[in-house]
Structure formats: C-alpha cells, structure tokens
Amino acid sequence: MAGGSDVAEAASQSCVQCGKPAHLQCPKCMELKLPREGAAFCTQDCFKASWSSHKSVHLKAKLSTLGAGALGEQNSDLVNEGWLYCLKKGQARTPKLPHFDWTGTLRPYPISSRRAVPANIDQPDWAVDGIPKIELNSDLQHVVEIKSPDQIERMRETCRIAREVLDAAARVIRPGITTDEIDKVVHDATIAAGGYPSPLNYHFFPKSCCTSVNEVICHGIPDARKLEDGDIVNIDVTVYYKGVHGDLNETYFVGNVDEESQRLVQCTYESLEKAISVVKPGMRFREVGEVINRHASMSGLSVVKSYCGHGIGKLFHCAPDILHYGRNKAVGVMKAGQTFTIEPMINAGVWRDRMWPDGWTAVTADGKRSAQFEHTLLVTETGVEVLTARLPSSPSVFPWLNNAS
Amino acid sequence: MEDEEEEAPLAVEVDEPIELSSQNQLSSSPPKDGDVSVGVTVITGYLGAGKSTLVNHILNSQHGKRIAVILNEFGEEIGVERAMINEGDGGALVEEWVELANGCVCCTVKHSLVQALEQLVQMKERLDHILLETTGLANPAPLASVLWLDDQLESAVKLDSIITVVDAKNLRFQLNEHRSSSSFAEAYLQIAFADVIILNKVDLVSPEGSGGVLEELEEEIHSINALANIIRTVHCQVDLSKILDCQAYDATHITRLEALLEESHTLSTQNLHDSGVRTLCISELRQVDLDKVRLWLEEILWDKKYGMDVYRCKGVLSVQNSNQLHTLQAVKEIYEIVPARDWKKEEKPMNKIVFIGHNLNENILLDALRACAAC
C-alpha cells in the first residue's frame, strides 16, 4: 500500500463488505465527513448487504457531535470563566470555536490563562516578549556547535530534569484528564526543579508543553479537552536550566487503544531507535532520514516532512536541521560534541499536514492518527549518548519494552 | 434523535484522485491544478542594471500568463511584502499588497520565504510564475539554497532559475572595482551563480556595431561562468520563452546538460581577472563508483579541501552498475546526484563535470575524479 512517500498514493479504496476495488461511497458518510475507508463499497448490492452494520458508524459520529453539543455547553461555561480559543500563534484569543474544515474528529477547546513563572528562575529572552531574538540572530543557525565538556555536563543535567518532568506527566495520563491538567503537571514539575518550561511564550506559544492527540502531528496546545479511552497522546517537554535546553517527547496510550494505533506508536518508537543507532562521528546527517523512512515504509506508514529535528544547547532550536524523510539534501556529517534531537512524526495515512487556525497545531491532512518520539542526543567519539534516556524510575507505559526501562 | 433509515440510500460514485509522485511532473504539459509546482525566478543584478526594467517587460508582455512579482529585501524579516500580479492578456496591472505571513523557524523544514510563496500560490486562483526581485542582495547563493527544495517535499513552488541583469556599459568597471581588495566585487558572485545573464544596454556599448566590444564582454562573463546563457538586450526586451521555465534545478530536466556532453572543446576558462573566479571542466571516460564520488564532492564542498571554493557545479556521471545517466548539481554546499534517464544508444557514456568557483585546481580535481573510477 503506502510504500513510501514517492509511490503513488491514494490508490482505489477497498470495499468494506468484500474487499474488491471500490468506487462508490456511502452518501451519509460523505455528509458527515467521515473517513473514506469505512464508507467505500464496490456495488450498491454490497452497500445494501452491509447497511445494517455500517450505519452504526453514523450513529457513533452523531453521538460524538452530540457529546460535543453537551460539551459545547461546558465550553461556553469555560469561556465565561475566561478560557478562550487560541488564535494567531497565541497572540490572540476568541470566545468562539474558529471556522475550519477539520480533517478529523478532534476539535480545539478553550485554553486557560497563562501560568506564572517565579522571578528567581532563569528565563530565556522570549519569556518577556515572545520573540527569541538571540536565537533568530545567532551564528549557531548556520554552524553546528561542538559543545565543551562543561556545556555537555550541563546538558546532561538539564536533559535528566526534562526526562523526569515528562515522566511526571506520563504518570497522570488517564481517560478524563484534560491536556490542560497535564500542562499544569509539566509546568509545576519544571518550576519545582528550578527550570523554565521552554515552550512557554516561545513565538507566543501559550502553554508549557505540547500535547498532541490522535491526528495532531505536533505542537498541540493543552486545552480543556478530556482525554478519552482509546486516544493516543504525545507530550513534548523542553526544559531550560543552567542556560541550556533539554527536549524530549513520547506518545502514550489512553486506556484501551486499538491495534492499528498500537502498531503506529510502536513503529514510531522503533524508527527513532533505529535512527539513534546510526548516530556516530562521520555519519551524514542525511542518513537519519533514510533510516526512518525505510522503517516507516516497511510498515506501510508515512513520514511527516514539514517538521524536523534540530540542534539544541543554549538555543532551543539551531543548526543542524535533522530531516526525517529520505532523499534529502542535508549538508554535513556528525562530529563528536554535537547535540541535536531526532523526532520522527509518523502517520497512519498520508504524510501531508495542515495547520489549525491557532497557528500552531499541525494535523494530518486526512484526519488519521500520527505518533512521535523524540530524544536529545550527544554525538560521542565512538557513537551516541541519549541524554534524555528513560530512567529506572520511568513509568512502564510501553508494552513492547516488557516493563524494563 | 433521528431515526437511522431502514433501507440503504443510493451509494455515490467517486473519482479517486491519484497523487502523482514528483518524478511524473512533466514540464511541457499544460499546468493542471495541484500537479505542477510554480516556478520561481530570482532576479539579481546591480542597481541600475535594469532589474526593474526586466520585471516590467515580463509583466507587460502579452503572454497570457499570470505572474506575481515579489520585491524582497532578503535578509530582513519578511513581514508585509508587496506583490504585483499581472492580470494577463491586455489586462491592467494590479498592484496588491500581500501580507506574507511570518513563519516560525522552530523545527520547520521550509524557510518562511518558501511558506510565504506557497501561501501566495494557494491564495491566487492561477499563478503561472513568480519573480523574486532582490533589491539588496550581493550573493544569490543563500536565496538559492532556501528555494532549492527537496523533491520529496512536493512543494507548490520550485526554483526555476537565477537571472542576473548586467549593465553592458558598466560591467568592466564593476569587475575591476575590487582588484586590490581581498573580497570580490558583487558582480563576480552574481555572474557565477547565474543560470541566465541578461547583458543589457548593449545599445550603449556598440552604437554603430563597432565590432568586438560585446564579444569581449561575453568572453569575460563566460570566463567566470561558462555555463550561463547570455542574452543581449536593449531595455531588457527579451523573449520570455528564454527566461521562464528554465527548470535549471530540475534533476531530470537535462537538455542543457546534454549539450555539455556534446561540447567538443573544453569549457575550462583561464583566469582573466585577479578574482580567480573561473569555470573548469573535467571529464573521465570510465564508469565511476558513486560512493567515492560522493565522498570526494563532500570533501570539496563541505570541507573546502585544498582551499577550493566551489560556487556552482553541474555535470553528468556514468555510474558503475547502472545504465542510467546521473546528473550532478551543486550550489555551494548543497548538492544532489540523481539518476535522470537511461543512456541513449547513440550516446557515449562518460563523466563530465563543470566547476565554477575560486581557487580551483584542475589537476587536483582531475586526479580525484580519476580516483573515483570503478576498479
């Protein structure tokens, strides 16, 4: 099927009833904008034959919009309390759900007001006015820094704190908790460790971490939506401590998750693992994309191309760009002392992404799910050190890790 | 609560759209929505050479194309950019202020300029070409690297060519300007990186066709960049077919590279100027080991081995264990080698590489290429 991004995609659908090539669609599903696979049929006869079981798809969709109706009421309560929808990358708010041709069933919810950071905590320049001026003008956008032993030691420390903060967030994941509550855990844990949550006010991002649910690829904004049984959610944490940043993310299961999602998440985890295994001095940066693309394609999944890994250190984002797709023209080879992230985003459906009206949330163009994993890495003389690696204390949330860390 | 119907309604026929892979993009077929990306031409040149004249000529010609012009002070923050859209045949010029949104750099692959251009393409119903007139830019290389996107990104825009407008009357002066200083006159870089050079104001140089002057100028330009196509103009009146849809950065569009294969005389040029910017062509008949070629190119382009500074590089490769002609293209450190097509029966498979740069050493390059020959 989707064997890599350079193969013709979106070939004909298969009939839901018998599996033959299908060119007919259920009109009700089209009206409700439901996914094509569940609505494809080869003949009217197959459609009729499957009708009694197929129509439950419509019912389910209606229930969730009704639920949204009830939630619409809840949301308007929140709006009255000052929770608003995010717009313009965080520079504006609105009391009404923005208009958009949503690609899946997820919707934005209102967000809470900005969380405070104690004055004694060392803050990056964007904490004040939203613009990372130093980063934008830095030479480190063009040259890859070789870290000094002192910088490396500080990065180890900061990355460990970031790992502990992420683990704290992972522990509270359950159906019914809102992504806003998760953000509060991240925010409080970061502050308690003496760090600043890097995402907060970075280019006006309104929260302290990114929470990306289901079809959200990355940069989801924590809001009033409760996680539901069956969701997958990525939490992306970056901590600024002792003048350096540590960045990592993981995708978690909420309650009981379907097999397809489990496979998606596990494959994404593995593609990061494989990419990390080739990191060593002399390896071309370009190669990371080849490794990830190969593994994702083998599983029939696609690789997001609009976002990439990045150099990190005293700057949140700097050179090099780490592309996750194959056949890229990335310049340069890895050298000992470099620190950067690898953070593949893998999709169940097409690779293309769209942007929500808030200016941050990236979603899959077809509304299918997306998963991501990220580590901050240090290139050593002989290979790589995973600075944000799991600790013995990290919660056992990945079935394929067999409860080992 | 609605009752779900007992009977299935009539299923609806749908046509499945098929996303073409980037390799299927045919430049000659008429543009269909979503199929072909919009070409971007970078127009550079000294103040007064005639950039604006060229732009106006392109916009005012009766050509039925919808062309947008972006005036860009590259290097400054991109906020509100002025975009002029030509309404097409006989139509009035519509000058629109277009806000091209400031994209966030954080871990996004495409530069904010590219995102802005893509937004422009999306906003307009039909856009056939984009001209990017650079006002303050000496060196077009950073712009080229931003616009020369990976095919994998299937972007709505793609770099079509870099056009440098040169003032025939003042060129010699501009080239000699920095004879004593260590940095080059901007003119060298603008010529070195050009795919097309508009040699403008030729009427001011040889009013009575007093022979030789223009030929000399062209020789000087070619000594720097032997690959560029030079077009003589008065008031930048040029045939659009010569400057639009050049596909200079399309790995599979190799008409001009094919000419390279047929060149009987060498393209290598002598050092006519103290600048040391010149063109060098090397060739090798034996098939090459692609891995070795990559390592060698990376030594030169990335490590600046032997102190050579390569600005542009173009070539064809005859690769071991392949019956495909491979194309090579480089702009500063960015390079790509791509299989383009099968070698034709009448062709003699060979390697031919052209370097444009500074401090080039022909012997070293030739020895290194020979060392890449498959054993």
Side-chain angles (χ1 to χ4, degrees):
Chain A
M1 250 255 281
S5 11
D6 57 338
V7 169
E9 293 174 322
S12 60
Q13 297 287 345
S14 304
C15 175
V16 166
Q17 181 73 356
C18 70
K20 290 209 200 99
H23 292 284
L24 298 176
Q25 292 264 301
C26 163
K28 195 77 193 165
C29 283
M30 288 177 80
E31 188 192 315
L32 292 171
K33 294 206 169 136
L34 297 177
R36 269 176 157 166
E37 291 76 46
F41 299 92
C42 64
T43 58
Q44 184 68 19
D45 283 336
C46 266
F47 185 35
K48 271 187 177 169
S50 101
W51 178 246
S52 50
S53 57
H54 171 75
K55 61 187 183 181
S56 61
V57 166
H58 310 149
L59 195 58
K60 190 167 169 217
K62 282 212 197 103
L63 279 176
S64 75
T65 43
L66 260 184
L71 277 170
E73 222 179 84
Q74 272 184 33
N75 283 345
S76 63
D77 283 346
L78 288 168
V79 167
N80 289 336
E81 288 168 33
W83 291 51
L84 298 164
Y85 296 92
C86 174
L87 282 181
K88 276 190 148 203
K89 303 205 71 173
Q91 293 168 92
R93 301 283 188 274
T94 176
K96 282 189 157 175
L97 181 69
H99 280 297
F100 191 63
D101 57 332
W102 311 100
T103 63
T105 52
L106 194 72
R107 300 288 182 272
Y109 282 55
I111 67 177
S112 61
S113 48
R114 180 167 170 172
R115 300 196 205 285
V117 175
N120 64 310
I121 288 186
D122 202 20
Q123 308 191 7
D125 64 351
W126 62 81
V128 175
D129 67 357
I131 314 277
K133 273 183 290 301
I134 296 172
E135 186 171 291
L136 287 170
N137 294 314
S138 170
D139 278 339
L140 294 180
Q141 296 301 343
H142 312 290
V143 176
V144 184
E145 189 182 28
I146 307 289
K147 306 281 191 289
S148 66
D150 167 70
Q151 281 175 308
I152 290 174
E153 206 38 56
R154 278 186 286 139
M155 289 217 55
R156 285 197 180 107
E157 212 182 332
T158 300
C159 285
R160 195 203 157 97
I161 292 174
R163 159 53 64 181
E164 286 168 344
V165 168
L166 180 64
D167 285 349
R171 288 190 191 96
V172 302
I173 291 180
R174 60 178 193 276
I177 193 170
T178 65
T179 48
D180 182 81
E181 286 168 288
I182 295 174
D183 178 74
K184 184 168 198 314
V185 168
V186 168
H187 185 89
D188 292 347
T190 307
I191 306 288
Y196 178 90
S198 311
L200 186 58
N201 213 27
Y202 181 74
H203 289 283
F204 307 105
F205 187 81
K207 290 290 155 197
S208 305
C209 66
C210 299
T211 50
S212 305
V213 175
N214 297 340
E215 68 258 35
V216 176
I217 290 168
C218 63
H219 301 164
I221 304 176
D223 60 21
R225 180 184 177 275
K226 294 190 170 126
L227 292 179
E228 293 168 16
D229 185 73
D231 283 348
I232 58 172
V233 59
N234 177 288
I235 305 178
D236 192 338
V237 164
T238 306
V239 168
Y240 179 68
Y241 180 72
K242 290 198 173 164
V244 293
H245 299 266
D247 188 357
L248 78 163
N249 73 54
E250 291 181 340
T251 305
Y252 305 103
F253 300 132
V254 183
N256 296 309
V257 166
D258 65 52
E259 252 197 68
E260 197 190 329
S261 299
Q262 288 187 45
R263 271 184 273 122
L264 170 67
V265 173
Q266 183 171 355
C267 174
T268 309
Y269 181 95
E270 289 163 355
S271 51
L272 175 57
E273 201 176 42
K274 285 187 197 288
I276 291 174
S277 72
V278 304
V279 173
K280 62 176 193 268
M283 178 61 60
R284 295 178 177 107
F285 289 118
R286 201 171 63 211
E287 190 61 24
V288 170
E290 300 293 342
V291 170
I292 293 170
N293 189 60
R294 206 172 299 142
H295 189 69
S297 304
M298 264 191 347
S299 313
L301 304 168
S302 61
V303 178
V304 171
K305 303 184 194 180
S306 300
Y307 299 92
C308 54
H310 52 93
I312 186 171
K314 58 184 185 242
L315 299 180
F316 190 172
H317 300 95
C318 54
D321 280 349
I322 305 292
L323 302 172
H324 302 123
Y325 56 89
R327 297 206 232 160
N328 67 72
K329 299 196 288 290
V331 171
V333 301
M334 299 175 190
K335 300 195 172 92
Q338 294 173 337
T339 52
F340 50 83
T341 70
I342 301 178
E343 46 186 287
M345 290 142 278
I346 309 291
N347 296 346
V350 301
W351 60 265
R352 286 196 190 273
D353 56 285
R354 301 263 322 270
M355 172 87 66
W356 272 6
D358 56 34
W360 276 108
T361 311
V363 291
T364 57
D366 60 1
K368 294 195 186 168
R369 290 184 171 190
S370 177
Q372 182 183 28
F373 283 86
E374 174 185 21
H375 275 305
T376 296
L377 306 164
L378 165 71
V379 183
T380 62
E381 297 290 344
T382 50
V384 64
E385 188 182 325
V386 182
L387 299 178
T388 45
R390 280 172 62 83
L391 302 165
S393 53
S394 297
S396 303
V397 285
F398 303 121
W400 58 85
L401 289 184
N402 264 351
N403 296 330
S405 50
Chain B
M1 179 90 80
E2 279 176 49
D3 283 332
E4 193 64 72
E5 288 176 27
E6 288 303 320
E7 281 284 318
L10 200 59
V12 174
E13 179 108 26
V14 264
D15 268 321
E16 298 290 351
I18 296 178
E19 244 177 275
L20 288 175
S21 72
S22 54
Q23 303 238 293
N24 286 345
Q25 278 176 18
L26 299 168
S27 57
S28 48
S29 53
K32 284 172 263 180
D33 276 353
D35 253 14
V36 179
S37 40
V38 176
V40 179
T41 300
V42 175
I43 299 180
T44 184
Y46 270 58
L47 195 63
K51 292 193 300 287
S52 307
T53 313
L54 176 63
V55 166
N56 285 328
H57 168 73
I58 295 173
L59 291 180
N60 288 317
S61 299
Q62 305 294 319
H63 49 61
K65 289 184 197 268
R66 258 173 88 80
I67 301 182
V69 182
I70 316 292
L71 298 168
N72 176 235
E73 288 274 347
F74 188 63
E76 294 183 14
E77 279 210 43
I78 296 171
V80 177
E81 296 293 346
R82 198 168 94 211
M84 272 192 287
I85 319 283
N86 178 315
E87 284 294 341
D89 256 324
L93 230 61
V94 175
E95 190 174 300
E96 297 181 40
W97 283 92
V98 175
E99 186 177 322
L100 302 177
N102 195 356
C104 154
V105 292
C106 107
C107 49
T108 47
V109 172
K110 293 176 194 164
H111 190 277
S112 56
L113 172 62
V114 173
Q115 291 182 44
L117 294 178
E118 285 181 327
Q119 276 190 326
L120 184 65
V121 169
Q122 241 191 352
M123 275 192 309
K124 294 292 148 190
E125 272 172 26
R126 187 197 106 219
L127 205 51
D128 296 310
H129 211 87
I130 295 175
L131 305 178
L132 196 60
E133 186 187 332
T134 64
T135 41
L137 189 66
N139 181 359
L143 203 46
S145 58
V146 159
L147 293 170
W148 188 24
L149 299 165
D150 293 324
D151 285 342
Q152 285 287 310
L153 294 172
E154 295 180 29
S155 173
V157 298
K158 69 170 190 261
L159 178 60
D160 189 61
S161 72
I162 297 177
I163 296 182
T164 297
V165 183
V166 157
D167 180 345
K169 182 131 173 70
N170 288 313
L171 178 62
R172 195 155 273 144
F173 171 73
Q174 286 161 354
L175 287 176
N176 291 337
E177 207 173 21
H178 286 227
R179 192 184 274 274
S180 50
S181 82
S182 53
S183 65
F184 306 133
E186 296 175 353
Y188 288 106
L189 293 176
Q190 289 178 356
I191 290 173
F193 283 104
D195 300 292
V196 177
I197 292 172
I198 308 277
L199 184 58
N200 194 32
K201 306 191 190 179
V202 292
D203 52 322
L204 299 181
V205 169
S206 52
E208 271 106 42
S210 52
V213 181
L214 284 178
E215 281 74 17
E216 274 174 33
L217 280 178
E218 285 179 348
E219 211 185 290
E220 286 208 46
I221 293 171
H222 265 145
S223 76
I224 300 166
N225 179 348
L227 283 177
N229 185 22
I230 302 178
I231 306 175
R232 299 181 189 183
T233 62
V234 177
H235 297 309
C236 287
Q237 302 283 319
V238 60
D239 185 349
L240 288 191
S241 64
K242 294 211 172 92
I243 57 174
L244 296 183
D245 294 323
C246 297
Q247 298 173 272
Y249 295 85
D250 186 336
T252 51
H253 176 87
I254 64 167
T255 327
R256 300 213 63 216
L257 280 179
E258 283 164 340
L260 195 71
L261 284 170
E262 285 166 33
E263 285 278 343
S264 49
H265 61 276
T266 179
L267 284 169
S268 294
T269 63
Q270 294 309 308
N271 240 339
L272 283 191
H273 308 97
D274 287 354
S275 71
V277 179
R278 65 177 183 119
T279 300
L280 205 148
C281 179
I282 56 175
S283 57
E284 163 62 53
L285 281 174
R286 297 169 292 171
Q287 286 187 323
V288 289
D289 178 333
L290 203 49
D291 289 334
K292 287 185 183 165
V293 170
R294 288 190 190 280
L295 285 169
W296 162 57
L297 282 171
E298 288 163 8
E299 272 181 350
I300 300 178
L301 300 174
W302 296 355
D303 302 333
K304 306 282 190 289
K305 203 170 179 187
Y306 308 118
M308 288 191 265
D309 200 357
V310 175
Y311 299 152
R312 286 296 303 273
C313 179
K314 270 185 160 178
V316 293
L317 297 173
S318 167
V319 172
Q320 179 187 31
N321 295 330
S322 171
N323 51 6
Q324 298 231 288
L325 182 160
H326 286 58
T327 59
L328 158 65
Q329 169 113 244
V331 179
K332 295 244 56 184
E333 293 96 3
I334 305 178
Y335 84 93
E336 95 180 331
I337 297 174
V338 175
R341 60 158 171 76
D342 285 352
W343 285 99
K344 292 184 186 151
K345 283 205 173 54
E346 61 270 23
E347 280 174 335
K348 189 175 178 186
M350 66 180 305
N351 301 281
K352 214 157 181 190
I353 306 178
V354 178
F355 293 88
I356 297 170
H358 168 242
N359 272 348
L360 301 180
N361 183 314
E362 182 159 7
N363 291 330
I364 292 179
L365 288 172
L366 195 47
D367 285 343
L369 175 59
R370 286 185 180 142
C372 294
C375 306

